[in-house]
Amino acid sequence: MASIKDIAKITGLSLATVSRVFNNSPSVSPKTRSKVLDAAKQLDYHPNQMAAALRSGKSKIIGVIVPEVNNYFFSSIINGIEKKLTDLGYRIIIAQSHESAENEQKALQSFLNLNVDGILMSISKKTTDYALFEKIISDQLPIVFFDRIPKLAEINSVTLDDYKGAYIATEHLIEGGCKHLIHVAGDSKVSIFKKRKKGFLDALAKHKHPVNTYTVSELSSNPKKDLELINTLFQLHPTIDGIFVHGDESSLYLMNLLQSLKISIPKQLKLIGFGNANYSELVQPPLSSIDQRCDEMGAIAATILLKHLTKKQTMPQKEILSPKLIIRQSSAN
Amino acid sequence: MASIKDIAKITGLSLATVSRVFNNSPSVSPKTRSKVLDAAKQLDYHPNQMAAALRSGKSKIIGVIVPEVNNYFFSSIINGIEKKLTDLGYRIIIAQSHESAENEQKALQSFLNLNVDGILMSISKKTTDYALFEKIISDQLPIVFFDRIPKLAEINSVTLDDYKGAYIATEHLIEGGCKHLIHVAGDSKVSIFKKRKKGFLDALAKHKHPVNTYTVSELSSNPKKDLELINTLFQLHPTIDGIFVHGDESSLYLMNLLQSLKISIPKQLKLIGFGNANYSELVQPPLSSIDQRCDEMGAIAATILLKHLTKKQTMPQKEILSPKLIIRQSSAN
DNA sequence: TTGTAGGCGTTATCAT
DNA sequence: ATGATAACGCCTACAA
């Protein structure tokens, strides 16, 4: 591995001058610059980023932590992040928390040991101790949270407006003529699912929708039980004509149950999910959904981080993305 | 940021001794060890991995390059890699080639500049220049290729036996009683698709299957055209009773076309895909497929890399995974 | 415009 | 068992 020392030796210049060339210092004559560059090519020289990082304090590495990388939502976010940062010479280092607070802490600490220039993360479901986050923030190490964020006042964050997403989904069903809606909710302990439920209810209230609306709080994922549940529900309320489900996977599951009950979608009943999963447009009928704009979420988080890295901004920034309604056949008129 | 220097000062020991404690050197007395550890806790000391890396030449960072991170197959592989390496103190740094040879080269070079200890990668579709790979190999930097591998003799690689996957998929249809099979092939320029086609044909030959089999080489992704194509095909050959498709996404697409033609699956026609995508079990009817064992592929690639990192192995290793037949309703009897 | 020299935090080789 | 010291490759005042 050739170093600037070798180049200095060959060209007869000093280490400093050679170093300046690679740092695009203006104060170096064109002649010496090209002399150095020639030597570099000849020796196949490549700067040692570790050494530069150690000396300069800037590693050009960004740490990213997500609960699971193997998940369309998070991998899309990572894609957005990578695209944004890579052209600017940053590299991203990735860790998964697997929903464990301990893994998360360890990953975070190892990022610090590696002198990352910044951190982008979505916290695990089990994270309750924010001490390390606060330390990072007070140490002025830029950190941006996305999607799942800690309840702290002064943080950079990018989130989706889940409430609004649920609201527009519900409104869409109402505007499509649905008179009797139900909501299949997710685990009420999870804050995003609570918000989605509230969005649903508020949309109903706003549109003075008859109050004969029902909430199947959670499906059991036991097909037999769920089928029975749905069946009973429809026997009690044959007028149900629209369902907003908290997520696309559950939507699909429900869609299959409904189809086995010979309920036709969207003729007899309109269905809309949440998340716009990769498969939602592939199923039959294609599933309407709320797009979470994952790529953008990643890109925006990265953009905020960049502003802090370059000191163009010091105040924390809270970004709340508006979800996008994706209308497909499952809720078409 | 506290350094070993600070600890040395506090404890009155030398840098060397302090360093030894953190490297678990045996030659340090229990008394001094605990004295150092105490001071470390007190100062909230954490080793600077960059500095250690620079000095020791071991960064504990593994570079990973995939075409797209936002893809179930690759993100599953990354998951397998991360799980395997993270407990051993390695961190993974990720880059996407986006199927560009240039991006790939750049990422690779930046990994080298970062002094990664090893590399795991799946090459882009456009990669034709193997010079850098050869240089890396001759420089003894451990590198393991997975899924898409360069045509080089002495490399570590983990791949899926696509031929075998196609073979067992086809055999499964034959054993299920199908008499008239067709294959929807993928782009014949891509080697895995060629292998899948060959597996299909060989299985037919082996089972002395009547030669009235047809290959719809590629669907156009234009629903109208494709629908017409399928329609014509079925009018000419109403006896078609089994289809092996090169991938799950195309399978779903085809399934939808078939359903719109009122062809019932699996009663009238059995269908099997390839890849076992995350949505394959969610669709109706659930799609039979060939599982590519992505998690294992990542874990195995990482394992091979580890053996080289620890010098337990120096000879290149070629691992070929056997795909797994996943039978679901779309091909059930 | 270029050179000198010290240091980033650690590890490793000698000693003692 | 411990210490002194050089070195890893680079950056950056400061000086010239």
Side-chain angles (χ1 to χ4, degrees):
Chain A
M1 276 292 162
S3 71
I4 49 173
K5 221 183 217 167
D6 301 310
I7 297 186
K9 208 171 288 171
I10 286 197
T11 57
L13 292 161
S14 74
L15 287 183
T17 319
V18 176
S19 172
R20 280 190 268 259
V21 170
F22 296 111
N23 291 303
N24 295 313
S25 162
S27 64
V28 48
S29 80
K31 227 183 289 178
T32 46
R33 156 161 276 118
S34 69
K35 211 182 346 175
V36 168
L37 260 22
D38 282 355
K41 194 156 283 177
Q42 184 189 326
L43 294 175
D44 191 30
Y45 166 79
H46 295 281
N48 181 324
Q49 207 182 319
M50 286 264 166
L54 177 60
R55 179 59 237 251
S56 68
K58 305 258 141 270
S59 64
K60 290 291 222 170
I61 297 179
I62 304 298
V64 178
I65 306 179
V66 293
E68 302 287 341
V69 81
N70 177 19
N71 167 308
Y72 188 68
F73 178 67
F74 289 118
S75 65
S76 297
I77 291 180
I78 292 173
N79 180 38
I81 292 171
E82 207 265 354
K83 269 192 196 159
K84 188 85 199 176
L85 293 180
T86 223
D87 290 339
L88 296 155
Y90 289 94
R91 284 292 155 201
I92 63 172
I93 179 160
I94 290 193
Q96 310 187 68
S97 67
H98 294 297
E99 305 293 4
S100 140
E102 189 193 342
N103 285 343
E104 193 173 85
Q105 292 280 310
K106 275 188 192 159
L108 217 40
Q109 186 58 59
S110 89
F111 285 178
L112 299 180
N113 299 350
L114 263 173
N115 270 327
V116 296
D117 285 350
I119 294 170
L120 293 163
M121 72 182 290
S122 195
I123 68 176
S124 90
K125 281 181 187 158
K126 301 226 186 73
T127 307
T128 53
D129 180 7
Y130 298 162
L132 192 46
F133 300 153
E134 288 177 314
K135 181 176 178 304
I136 288 170
I137 293 167
S138 77
D139 284 354
Q140 314 258 28
L141 177 60
I143 181 168
V144 181
F145 297 90
F146 54 84
D147 191 47
R148 305 219 214 121
I149 68 177
K151 289 203 183 84
L152 288 172
E154 303 277 292
I155 56 168
N156 296 297
S157 68
V158 188
T159 51
L160 186 82
D161 193 338
D162 283 278
Y163 172 85
K164 188 171 174 189
Y167 193 98
I168 59 177
T170 309
E171 211 163 39
H172 164 64
L173 292 178
I174 293 172
E175 285 168 357
C178 294
K179 297 293 181 203
H180 190 158
L181 296 177
I182 73 175
H183 173 47
V184 174
D187 182 345
S188 63
K189 275 166 293 191
V190 181
S191 76
I192 54 172
F193 294 143
K194 268 195 294 197
K195 288 180 195 156
R196 289 177 196 175
K197 184 170 167 182
K198 190 161 187 317
F200 170 74
L201 294 172
D202 283 7
L204 291 186
K206 166 76 182 310
H207 287 265
K208 299 206 171 51
H209 211 263
V211 198
N212 53 349
T213 53
Y214 300 84
T215 298
V216 178
S217 53
E218 284 166 48
L219 294 174
S220 66
S221 291
N222 172 334
K224 262 190 209 154
K225 269 198 208 166
D226 290 335
L227 197 60
E228 218 168 293
L229 183 72
I230 300 284
N231 211 356
T232 315
L233 195 69
F234 272 83
Q235 277 171 358
L236 286 170
H237 311 283
T239 56
I240 292 173
D241 56 2
I243 306 186
F244 164 52
V245 187
H246 70 279
D248 277 8
E249 186 171 339
S250 294
S251 298
L252 252 195
Y253 175 64
L254 180 64
M255 194 188 269
N256 292 339
L257 293 181
L258 293 172
Q259 284 171 343
S260 74
L261 292 172
K262 305 288 177 213
I263 295 171
S264 100
I265 303 169
K267 217 188 282 178
Q268 188 175 348
L269 180 146
K270 293 192 165 82
L271 187 65
I272 185 166
F274 200 112
N276 196 20
N278 60 336
Y279 47 77
S280 298
E281 62 174 339
L282 300 174
V283 300
Q284 204 57 272
L287 178 69
S288 295
S289 196
I290 298 297
D291 186 80
Q292 302 186 88
R293 305 172 63 188
C294 340
D295 278 60
E296 280 165 86
M297 187 174 282
I300 291 172
T303 305
I304 295 176
L305 188 72
L306 280 169
K307 282 196 278 191
H308 286 268
L309 287 174
T310 54
K311 309 282 179 209
K312 293 210 176 97
Q313 181 174 328
T314 52
M315 294 298 296
Q317 181 176 350
K318 254 189 164 45
E319 202 71 40
I320 299 174
L321 296 182
S322 278
K324 226 165 55 191
L325 175 65
I326 309 287
I327 302 175
R328 300 206 181 89
Q329 206 187 320
S330 76
S331 70
N333 265 321
Chain B
M1 275 290 164
S3 72
I4 49 174
K5 223 182 217 168
D6 302 308
I7 297 185
K9 207 170 289 171
I10 286 197
T11 57
L13 293 161
S14 74
L15 286 184
T17 319
V18 176
S19 172
R20 279 190 269 258
V21 169
F22 296 112
N23 290 301
N24 295 313
S25 161
S27 64
V28 47
S29 81
K31 231 185 286 179
T32 46
R33 156 160 277 121
S34 69
K35 216 187 336 183
V36 168
L37 259 25
D38 283 354
K41 194 155 284 176
Q42 184 189 326
L43 294 175
D44 191 31
Y45 165 79
H46 293 281
N48 181 323
Q49 207 181 320
M50 287 265 168
L54 175 60
R55 180 57 239 244
S56 71
K58 305 259 141 269
S59 65
K60 289 289 217 170
I61 298 179
I62 304 298
V64 177
I65 306 179
V66 292
E68 302 287 341
V69 80
N70 177 19
N71 166 308
Y72 187 69
F73 178 66
F74 290 119
S75 64
S76 296
I77 291 179
I78 292 173
N79 180 37
I81 292 171
E82 207 263 356
K83 271 193 195 159
K84 188 85 199 175
L85 294 180
T86 219
D87 290 339
L88 295 155
Y90 289 94
R91 284 292 156 202
I92 61 172
I93 179 160
I94 290 193
Q96 309 187 69
S97 66
H98 294 298
E99 305 294 2
S100 139
E102 190 193 342
N103 286 343
E104 193 172 84
Q105 293 280 310
K106 275 188 191 160
L108 217 39
Q109 187 58 60
S110 89
F111 285 178
L112 299 180
N113 300 350
L114 263 172
N115 270 326
V116 296
D117 285 351
I119 294 170
L120 292 163
M121 72 182 290
S122 195
I123 67 176
S124 91
K125 281 182 188 158
K126 303 226 187 76
T127 306
T128 52
D129 181 8
Y130 298 161
L132 192 45
F133 301 152
E134 287 176 315
K135 180 174 179 305
I136 288 169
I137 293 167
S138 77
D139 284 353
Q140 313 259 28
L141 178 59
I143 181 168
V144 180
F145 297 90
F146 54 84
D147 191 48
R148 305 218 214 121
I149 69 178
K151 289 206 184 81
L152 289 171
E154 304 276 292
I155 56 168
N156 296 297
S157 67
V158 187
T159 51
L160 185 82
D161 193 337
D162 282 277
Y163 172 84
K164 187 171 174 187
Y167 193 97
I168 60 178
T170 309
E171 211 163 39
H172 163 63
L173 293 178
I174 293 173
E175 285 167 358
C178 295
K179 298 292 182 202
H180 191 158
L181 296 176
I182 73 174
H183 172 48
V184 174
D187 182 344
S188 64
K189 274 167 292 190
V190 180
S191 76
I192 55 173
F193 294 144
K194 267 194 295 195
K195 288 180 196 157
R196 290 177 196 175
K197 184 169 168 184
K198 188 160 188 318
F200 171 75
L201 295 172
D202 284 7
L204 291 185
K206 168 73 184 309
H207 286 266
K208 300 207 169 49
H209 211 266
V211 199
N212 53 348
T213 54
Y214 301 85
T215 300
V216 178
S217 54
E218 284 164 51
L219 294 175
S220 66
S221 291
N222 172 337
K224 261 190 209 155
K225 268 199 209 165
D226 290 335
L227 197 59
E228 217 167 294
L229 183 71
I230 300 284
N231 212 355
T232 315
L233 195 67
F234 273 84
Q235 278 171 356
L236 285 172
H237 311 285
T239 55
I240 292 173
D241 56 2
I243 306 186
F244 164 53
V245 186
H246 70 279
D248 277 9
E249 187 170 339
S250 294
S251 297
L252 253 193
Y253 174 65
L254 180 64
M255 195 189 269
N256 292 339
L257 294 181
L258 292 172
Q259 284 171 343
S260 75
L261 291 173
K262 305 289 177 210
I263 294 172
S264 100
I265 302 169
K267 219 188 282 179
Q268 188 174 349
L269 179 147
K270 294 193 166 79
L271 188 65
I272 185 166
F274 200 113
N276 196 23
N278 60 338
Y279 47 76
S280 297
E281 61 175 339
L282 300 173
V283 300
Q284 206 55 274
L287 178 68
S288 296
S289 194
I290 298 295
D291 186 80
Q292 302 184 90
R293 305 172 65 189
C294 342
D295 277 61
E296 281 165 86
M297 188 176 281
I300 291 173
T303 304
I304 295 177
L305 188 72
L306 280 170
K307 283 196 277 189
H308 285 268
L309 287 174
T310 54
K311 309 282 180 206
K312 293 212 176 96
Q313 181 173 328
T314 51
M315 294 299 294
Q317 180 176 350
K318 254 188 165 47
E319 202 72 39
I320 300 174
L321 296 182
S322 278
K324 227 164 53 189
L325 175 64
I326 308 286
I327 302 175
R328 299 204 182 91
Q329 206 187 322
S330 76
S331 70
N333 265 321

